[in-house]
Amino acid sequence: MLTGYRFKKSLHDLIRGIRACKDEEATDKYVRSAISECRQEVLSQDMDVKAMAVLKLAYLQMFGHDMTWASFNVLEVMSSPKFAQKRIGYLAAMQSFGVDTDVLMLATNMLKKDLASSNHLDVAMAISGLSNIVSPSLARDLAEDLVKMMNHSKPYVRKKAVLVMYKIFLQFPEALRTSFPRLREKLEDPEISVVSATVNVICELAKKHPKNYLPLAPQLFNILTTSSNNWMLIKIIKLFASLGPIEPRLKTKLIPPITNVIQTTTAMSLLYECINCIVSGGMLSKEDEQLATMCVGKLRIFFEETDQNLKFVGLLAYNKIVLTHPLLVAQNADVIMDCMDDPDLSIRERAVELVVYLVNTDTLFDVVKRLMLQLIPQSRDQVLPEHYRVEVVRRILDMCSNNTYSNVTNFEWYVAVLVDLVKITEGVKDIGAEIGVELQNVAVRVRSVRDYAVGASARMVTDKDVMIKNPGVLKYAGWIAGEYAIYLDNPEIILDAMINIEPQTLSDDTAAVYIQAIPKIYSKYAGTDRIPWTHSRAQEILQLTENIVAYLEKYSTSMDIEVQERSVEFLELFRLIALAIKERPDDDSDLTPPALISQAMPSMFNVWELNPVSAKAQKRIPIPEGLDLDEEFNAPVVYSESEDEEEALLREQIMKQQQLNSGKNINSVAASTTAKAKSNKPKSTRDGASSESEDEEEMERRRQERRRRQAEDPFYILESDKVVSKSRKQRQNSSSSELSGPDDPMKNEKLDIDSIPIMKLEIASIAAPVTKKKSKRHRTQPAHVEIATEETFGDENAATVVHPDEAAQRRTSARATSHKKSILRVDARGLENYDLDSPDEDEADRKEVEKFKAEILEARKKAAKAAEEEVRATHIVVKKKKKKAKVVKKVKKREEKNDTLTEKPAEEEKTDEKTEEKAEENVEGQGDIVKT
């Protein structure tokens, strides 16, 4: 009989209704009404109506509507005995349930029941649903049931059971230890689909801890040599790529079958995995020339196909092979260069990474030109992404600076390239600083091109467009202009450009460099001998000095400590220079500049030339014996907050008394004779010592009283006596040192500067200049360029001295690797450090718990037995007392009555015996109840 619920909307009606809505507002209104109807339908007793409501909610959930409120109703549909309804429930659960869903704890018994069903479709459906909703508690409770399903009679169920075990391992890694033997058996399953599923699971597990699966190598090798399933071979080869670095002996066994697959297969995916296994598995060394030649030759086929994916994976493989066999990869430079102009940016990026290893003296100019043309947009619509432009610039810098500029023969060309990169990359963040570092490096190392680099830097400093669009390079351009100011043609223009910049325009780092560079350029311009010192020249320098003073005054109150310190130091210097110029006569009688300009300032900057220093030179200096870098020079002064006003007032009185004892009038004592000072010194010392001892006793008394009050106060936190006493002692020492009078003997001693030892730091001599090999082509030999090498300490090949704290910090940073989430949101961090070879840490705990349970059970049995015996003994004593009383009464009656009544007591005795037997049976039954 049809009920009213049969006429409710079905899923098809819901879909038609949503499609019939014309606008978004009508759609929202219709969906809200449908959800309200579903709220009523899920409360129905008719399971068909409830299942249809859950199905509609599952459909709406895909549009982003929440259905977590119906979790319990979904669980009800999952427990339906009908397969069609059960399937709807599992579908809704897979979409809406999560690890934190509350009703999952109610699903354990239901899932166990479905896994034990005689219908293999119910079992398979339960396994599929569990793979999406598994939680740590479900994984722990159902792991044993799923291991049993791996031996199911149906291959369909075995395959699903093997696959779901991976999700179980993610949530409950301990299950891997118990299920590993069964998982190993499935590699020899007669059904190929089950074997393929097992290989997939092991391959995923081996990504986290491949050492656990080395014992499976013989079985996997057998599958590799006998199977013809390409997809399973791909998984096995990936697995061997993970095992290769752990077990180098696999190379001799794997090379022949993998080489055979490379030469015979036509599947590009399998071909790439074979080559990748050889390269990534540590099977390709520098001596394997023939194997590398075969791999490089096969990879060239990838670039002849139209599939862009093949080009991408081919470039990935080339990037790995080029590390060991760059010459073989360089033979395919034509296809790699073509990839640099590919419309696909991912292929371009891989080609740019690879081309760094292929450039030489002959090809550097062409490659850099092609890369720079890519940075120039061909049209307004064609704008390359910022990350790709940054990557191209970095590769250009890497190619040119590789091996201390061994490929660069014309450094003026290289400086011009750097200047062009500054203009091309306008608006790109953080790349200007990298270009500036490279320009600074060239200016320091290559003396022959230093004047050209200084000119380029000067143009950047005066270019307003660079300041606005690429300000990161100004820090290094300003440093070059200041350090090598002797190469500037118009230093006054550079000074004018630097001091006319508003403070908010530059960053703090750039401003600090500018403040340091301005005195250097000023020294070169004002202290030159080529311009005679006249009155007009003095006024010009005075005006420039006052402008610099005004500029430095702006930065003297900067929040950055480096900027503030440099500006204040040079501000005082330029004020003295301005005062010295003003003190000169107004006429041309004195034609010499002030000594501050002509001698003092040049001696500050022009004495030594700055040479490049190796980054490891500081670490090569050995730590002297007896020097503990962790020990503090002066112990930190810890001021106790427990000192009250009373003690502070007393301390102030003591200080005043000591001042009076040491000398009431310091000026009069200083003016007196030495003999009088010597005669007064012992007396004042004695008086001061006596008063100090008395005051110390008073302070100690008050201190003890204060500590007693603090100990009785429950709201006061007591401090360590050691810290308090240490801080008090330090303050007393500091106060006594400050209050030492003019007769202090240490005050009259002179500091012998010549006696201070000086350690001579021997710097290795500059290495021989790098010479260029002659090219095989007939061309003009490039000019000899001298490149300054880095100065270092001791032997270049000596071991670097690393401080223990620094080494620990390096190890910590190496361990702190970031866990990148996969696209499928699979968190497998629990399997990374899980070792099957290590002893089971929980086995001892489980044994101890089982032992404890056995002891409790034994104690309960003993207690039940004792209670049983006690009840039985009590019952027997009561029966004996009753029986004795009855016998006495019977004897009396027998004496009173006739002998004819003697048979009746005998019958009563028989009845009593039967009653006693029944009572004993009842006692035994009570004992059994007590045991239970």
Side-chain angles (χ1 to χ4, degrees):
M1 186 177 91
L2 294 175
T3 61
Y5 289 104
R6 297 294 183 183
F7 297 98
K8 295 293 181 179
K9 294 178 183 178
S10 64
L11 178 62
H12 298 284
D13 298 332
L14 177 65
I15 296 173
R16 281 196 294 266
I18 293 175
R19 291 179 178 177
C21 297
K22 296 181 179 180
D23 54 5
E24 186 177 355
E25 183 178 357
T27 303
D28 293 340
K29 184 177 179 181
Y30 182 81
V31 169
R32 284 197 298 270
S33 64
I35 292 176
S36 63
E37 290 177 2
C38 292
R39 287 181 180 272
Q40 299 298 326
E41 293 173 0
V42 294
L43 301 177
S44 172
Q45 298 299 323
D46 191 344
M47 190 58 70
D48 291 332
V49 176
K50 185 176 293 187
M52 183 56 64
V54 170
L55 184 60
K56 290 188 290 185
L57 288 174
Y59 177 77
L60 294 175
Q61 194 267 347
M62 292 188 293
F63 289 91
H65 299 281
D66 183 35
M67 64 169 294
T68 55
W69 54 270
S71 298
F72 187 78
N73 306 111
V74 171
L75 201 63
E76 290 178 333
V77 178
M78 290 171 63
S79 61
S80 173
K82 295 182 179 180
F83 178 77
Q85 296 172 355
K86 186 184 291 289
R87 184 172 59 180
I88 293 174
Y90 274 104
L91 173 64
M94 285 188 286
Q95 289 189 197
S96 61
F97 284 8
V99 180
D100 300 330
T101 305
D102 297 334
V103 299
L104 277 181
M105 65 179 67
L106 305 176
T108 305
N109 291 331
M110 184 197 64
L111 288 169
K112 282 181 174 288
K113 181 181 177 182
D114 290 341
L115 289 175
S117 175
S118 59
N119 187 358
H120 70 280
L121 296 178
D122 291 344
V123 177
M125 184 170 54
I127 293 174
S128 299
L130 181 63
S131 64
N132 291 274
I133 65 175
V134 62
S135 63
S137 59
L138 282 177
R140 183 176 57 253
D141 297 336
L142 300 176
E144 186 177 353
D145 300 271
L146 291 170
V147 171
K148 294 178 181 178
M149 291 301 104
M150 293 170 68
N151 279 345
H152 199 274
S153 59
K154 297 290 184 180
Y156 178 68
V157 177
R158 295 203 302 270
K159 178 182 65 174
K160 283 183 171 292
V162 170
L163 291 174
V164 80
M165 288 306 297
Y166 179 67
K167 293 295 187 70
I168 298 294
F169 298 150
L170 294 180
Q171 299 294 335
F172 185 56
E174 287 77 8
L176 181 60
R177 189 183 301 275
T178 58
S179 60
F180 185 76
R182 188 66 57 83
L183 195 66
R184 186 171 188 171
E185 292 176 4
K186 296 299 105 181
L187 288 175
E188 299 176 356
D189 196 274
E191 184 65 29
I192 190 65
S193 61
V194 179
V195 178
S196 179
T198 308
V199 170
N200 281 330
V201 172
I202 294 175
C203 185
E204 294 299 322
L205 293 173
K207 291 180 180 179
K208 300 301 177 183
H209 201 289
K211 184 180 178 181
N212 288 338
Y213 311 99
L214 272 176
L216 304 178
Q219 294 169 288
L220 296 173
F221 183 80
N222 184 33
I223 299 174
L224 175 65
T225 54
T226 58
S227 177
S228 58
N229 188 344
N230 286 345
W231 292 112
M232 190 161 58
L233 289 177
I234 288 174
K235 288 292 183 180
I236 291 177
I237 290 173
K238 283 185 176 180
L239 184 54
F240 277 124
S242 302
L243 299 178
I246 300 175
E247 182 53 73
R249 293 177 295 179
L250 287 174
K251 175 181 176 180
T252 56
K253 295 286 292 184
L254 292 176
I255 289 297
I258 293 178
T259 304
N260 183 35
V261 175
I262 292 175
Q263 294 175 346
T264 58
T265 186
T266 57
M268 292 297 179
S269 57
L270 181 57
L271 176 61
Y272 170 73
E273 291 299 336
C274 290
I275 297 175
N276 186 53
C277 177
I278 292 174
V279 178
S280 302
M283 304 177 191
L284 186 65
S285 60
K286 295 182 179 181
E287 293 77 15
D288 300 325
E289 195 73 21
Q290 185 177 359
L291 184 61
T293 304
M294 181 188 65
C295 293
V296 172
K298 287 292 183 179
L299 286 173
R300 189 178 177 89
I301 303 175
F302 287 26
F303 299 94
E304 298 173 358
E305 301 290 336
T306 57
D307 191 357
Q308 294 289 88
N309 295 324
L310 294 179
K311 292 183 180 179
F312 182 80
V313 296
L315 291 172
L316 288 180
Y318 273 157
N319 272 298
K320 297 176 182 178
I321 298 176
V322 76
L323 300 176
T324 55
H325 298 81
L327 296 179
L328 291 177
V329 179
Q331 295 176 3
N332 300 276
D334 53 341
V335 295
I336 298 173
M337 293 295 180
D338 294 338
C339 292
M340 291 174 60
D341 299 327
D342 197 277
D344 191 346
L345 278 181
S346 59
I347 294 178
R348 281 193 190 184
E349 291 176 359
R350 302 289 85 75
V352 170
E353 290 178 4
L354 184 58
V355 79
V356 176
Y357 301 95
L358 306 180
V359 295
N360 51 34
T361 306
D362 299 329
T363 60
L364 178 64
F365 299 102
D366 296 334
V367 173
V368 171
K369 182 179 179 181
R370 294 183 67 169
L371 291 177
M372 292 185 67
L373 289 176
Q374 291 187 9
L375 296 174
I376 302 174
Q378 304 299 328
S379 60
R380 294 183 179 180
D381 299 333
Q382 185 183 2
V383 180
L384 294 174
E386 183 174 326
H387 75 277
Y388 177 73
R389 299 173 67 188
V390 171
E391 187 66 22
V392 170
V393 174
R394 287 175 177 170
R395 295 302 172 183
I396 292 174
L397 299 180
D398 292 342
M399 284 187 292
C400 297
S401 61
N402 186 29
N403 198 13
T404 319
Y405 309 101
S406 60
N407 295 324
V408 179
T409 57
N410 188 348
F411 279 92
E412 292 185 358
W413 165 85
Y414 184 42
V415 173
V417 167
L418 295 176
V419 175
D420 292 339
L421 288 177
V422 172
K423 297 178 180 178
I424 294 174
T425 58
E426 292 178 346
V428 180
K429 296 180 181 179
D430 301 331
I431 199 61
E434 297 183 25
I435 300 173
V437 169
E438 194 61 28
L439 182 63
Q440 181 187 43
N441 203 11
V442 172
V444 173
R445 289 176 177 273
V446 187
R447 294 180 176 84
S448 60
V449 78
R450 189 171 291 171
D451 56 344
Y452 188 81
V454 171
S457 302
R459 289 190 293 271
M460 293 182 193
V461 171
T462 56
D463 192 347
K464 295 183 179 180
D465 292 337
V466 175
M467 186 180 303
I468 297 172
K469 299 179 180 180
N470 206 342
V473 74
L474 292 178
K475 172 183 176 181
Y476 304 93
W479 185 91
I480 294 171
E483 187 66 27
Y484 304 109
I486 56 175
Y487 296 99
L488 292 174
D489 296 331
N490 299 304
E492 67 279 6
I493 299 177
I494 307 301
L495 283 174
D496 185 66
M498 286 184 171
I499 63 178
N500 289 328
I501 299 177
E502 294 297 326
Q504 62 272 14
T505 306
L506 300 176
S507 63
D508 293 335
D509 295 339
T510 307
V513 172
Y514 271 34
I515 293 172
Q516 189 76 20
I518 286 173
K520 298 177 183 179
I521 303 175
Y522 177 88
S523 173
K524 190 265 178 184
Y525 174 66
T528 181
D529 297 335
R530 292 179 296 177
I531 302 177
W533 186 266
T534 59
H535 178 67
S536 59
R537 172 71 173 173
Q539 295 301 318
E540 179 186 356
I541 299 300
L542 178 61
Q543 182 63 37
L544 179 61
T545 307
E546 290 177 350
N547 293 339
I548 294 175
V549 169
Y551 171 78
L552 294 176
E553 286 177 347
K554 298 177 183 178
Y555 287 101
S556 60
T557 57
S558 175
M559 298 300 294
D560 187 81
I561 188 64
E562 186 72 17
V563 175
Q564 186 186 53
E565 182 179 2
R566 293 188 182 189
S567 60
V568 170
E569 290 175 354
F570 289 114
L571 179 61
E572 297 300 324
L573 177 61
F574 278 102
R575 284 175 177 172
L576 292 175
I577 293 174
L579 183 62
I581 296 176
K582 291 178 182 178
E583 291 177 353
R584 291 282 173 169
D586 295 338
D587 54 3
D588 294 339
S589 59
D590 190 356
L591 300 179
T592 57
L596 282 173
I597 298 177
S598 61
Q599 298 178 13
M601 290 197 69
S603 64
M604 295 172 60
F605 308 114
N606 301 332
V607 177
W608 302 101
E609 182 179 359
L610 186 63
N611 296 322
V613 181
S614 174
K616 299 180 180 180
Q618 181 78 21
K619 298 177 182 179
R620 294 183 186 279
I621 300 176
I623 300 176
E625 295 182 1
L627 175 62
D628 187 2
L629 297 179
D630 296 330
E631 184 181 358
E632 298 175 347
F633 290 103
N634 296 310
V637 179
V638 181
Y639 292 97
S640 174
E641 297 180 358
S642 61
E643 291 187 350
D644 51 6
E645 297 179 357
E646 186 179 18
E647 183 175 352
L649 182 61
L650 180 60
R651 185 176 298 281
E652 185 178 356
Q653 294 176 358
I654 294 173
M655 293 170 62
K656 289 182 179 180
Q657 186 66 28
Q658 289 178 352
Q659 290 179 356
L660 293 174
N661 294 334
S662 60
K664 293 184 178 180
N665 192 344
I666 298 176
N667 295 329
S668 62
V669 172
S672 63
T673 60
T674 306
K676 185 178 180 180
K678 290 183 179 179
S679 62
N680 292 336
K681 179 179 177 182
K683 183 178 180 180
S684 60
T685 304
R686 288 192 299 270
D687 295 339
S690 59
S691 62
E692 183 177 358
S693 61
E694 295 174 357
D695 295 332
E696 282 294 329
E697 293 176 358
E698 179 68 17
M699 285 182 60
E700 184 64 25
R701 185 186 63 79
R702 297 190 182 187
R703 190 180 300 116
Q704 295 295 336
E705 183 179 359
R706 184 184 69 254
R707 289 181 180 176
R708 181 182 56 78
R709 291 198 307 267
Q710 293 172 356
E712 295 174 355
D713 189 358
F715 300 101
Y716 186 83
I717 300 176
L718 295 176
E719 295 181 356
S720 174
D721 294 338
K722 183 178 180 180
V723 176
V724 174
S725 61
K726 183 178 180 180
S727 61
R728 183 175 292 109
K729 185 177 180 180
Q730 290 173 354
R731 288 197 299 272
Q732 291 175 2
N733 294 337
S734 60
S735 61
S736 61
S737 61
E738 291 174 356
L739 296 174
S740 59
D743 300 326
D744 191 355
M746 295 298 297
K747 197 167 184 179
N748 296 327
E749 291 184 6
K750 294 183 179 180
L751 181 63
D752 189 4
I753 299 178
D754 297 333
S755 63
I756 298 176
I758 299 176
M759 180 180 291
K760 184 178 180 182
L761 183 63
E762 296 181 359
I763 307 298
S765 59
I766 299 176
V770 179
T771 57
K772 304 293 180 178
K773 295 183 178 180
K774 293 183 178 181
S775 176
K776 294 182 179 180
R777 289 195 230 163
H778 296 285
R779 58 183 177 85
T780 58
Q781 186 176 1
H784 176 74
V785 179
E786 182 180 356
I787 303 174
T789 57
E790 296 176 344
E791 295 181 351
T792 184
F793 180 83
D795 187 9
E796 182 67 24
N797 299 324
T800 303
V801 179
V802 182
H803 193 262
D805 290 346
E806 185 179 354
Q809 186 177 3
R810 290 181 184 177
R811 291 192 295 269
T812 305
S813 61
R815 287 194 299 267
T817 55
S818 60
H819 297 282
K820 185 179 179 182
K821 274 196 172 183
S822 64
I823 300 176
L824 300 178
R825 298 178 181 176
V826 176
D827 188 4
R829 286 178 288 180
L831 298 173
E832 288 182 355
N833 299 321
Y834 191 80
D835 192 359
L836 290 175
D837 297 333
S838 62
D840 191 0
E841 297 178 357
D842 299 332
E843 187 67 25
D845 297 337
R846 285 197 294 269
K847 290 182 179 180
E848 187 176 353
V849 171
E850 291 176 359
K851 183 179 179 181
F852 184 66
K853 287 182 179 179
E855 291 176 356
I856 293 177
L857 185 59
E858 186 68 23
R860 288 179 178 176
K861 288 181 179 180
K862 291 181 180 179
K865 189 175 180 180
E868 177 188 350
E869 293 176 354
E870 184 179 356
V871 171
R872 182 179 297 177
T874 305
H875 185 75
I876 292 173
V877 170
V878 172
K879 288 299 180 180
K880 285 183 178 180
K881 288 181 179 180
K882 290 181 178 180
K883 185 177 180 180
K884 186 175 182 180
K886 288 180 179 179
V887 171
V888 172
K889 290 180 181 179
K890 289 177 182 178
V891 170
K892 291 180 179 181
K893 287 181 180 180
R894 289 173 184 174
E895 293 176 352
E896 293 176 357
K897 293 183 180 181
N898 297 326
D899 297 334
T900 56
L901 298 177
T902 56
E903 297 179 358
K904 187 175 181 179
E907 293 177 357
E908 291 179 358
E909 289 178 3
K910 293 180 180 179
T911 305
D912 293 338
E913 291 177 358
K914 292 181 180 179
T915 305
E916 186 177 351
E917 291 177 358
K918 290 182 180 180
E920 290 177 358
E921 292 178 358
N922 292 335
V923 171
E924 293 178 357
Q926 291 179 0
D928 295 337
I929 293 172
V930 172
K931 288 182 180 180
T932 305

